[in-house]
Amino acid sequence: MYSFLVNPASRSGRGQKYWERIKSILEERLIPYQVYFSKGPGDMVNLSRRLTGALTPDGEDIHLVVLGGDGTANEVVQGIENFSKTRFSYIPTGSSNDLARDTGISRDPVEALERILLPPGNSPWM
């Protein structure tokens, strides 16, 4: 299951519109997911800490997918408690998207999602 961590305020509110596009694709393809929305600074640190802090060595991995800008991605990474059980993916929806540019992630949210949905081992971003 994918856990989407969304900053709806990214790029002056376009983050919410990008999420709606992503959500429609997930639902059309019957892909299971859960979604969490940031309400302000610090939310993503606490949320990723809560989601990854309860992971056990013999439990399932978690796949965090961040929709936001560089600051949102930074907050999520800061909160990860168990890196060995956490998969991290990024759909850039911010205004500068330096992380996406520096790592070759498409700035098109649908294209970035398509790469994330590839089977493990086929995506260059995981």
Side-chain angles (χ1 to χ4, degrees):
M1 172 162 333
Y2 297 91
S3 295
F4 286 84
L5 287 73
V6 179
N7 179 354
S10 63
R11 194 178 275 184
S12 301
R14 288 192 203 142
Q16 180 65 39
K17 291 177 185 174
Y18 290 142
W19 165 245
E20 294 301 326
R21 286 176 60 198
I22 297 299
K23 177 182 171 186
S24 68
I25 293 168
L26 297 171
E27 290 178 354
E28 178 181 300
R29 296 183 190 177
L30 304 175
I31 296 170
Y33 71 91
Q34 41 192 351
V35 62
Y36 305 90
F37 294 95
S38 171
K39 294 181 178 123
D43 276 359
M44 291 299 182
V45 172
N46 295 327
L47 180 58
S48 70
R49 183 173 293 129
R50 184 170 51 95
L51 290 171
T52 63
L55 298 173
T56 60
D58 56 344
E60 284 189 38
D61 291 359
I62 189 168
H63 190 156
L64 301 179
V65 182
V66 177
L67 270 81
D70 296 326
T72 305
N74 181 36
E75 280 195 22
V76 171
V77 170
Q78 286 182 46
I80 295 174
E81 298 260 328
N82 188 337
F83 282 95
S84 66
K85 300 292 288 177
T86 303
R87 294 176 65 193
F88 175 90
S89 297
Y90 176 57
I91 298 175
T93 63
S95 33
S96 67
N97 298 317
D98 293 330
L99 176 61
R101 184 183 63 245
D102 293 347
T103 57
I105 297 172
S106 175
R107 293 185 205 177
D108 178 292
V110 174
E111 189 175 315
L113 176 66
E114 293 298 343
R115 291 291 201 139
I116 291 165
L117 296 178
L118 289 172
N122 291 330
S123 177
W125 304 329
M126 293 188 270

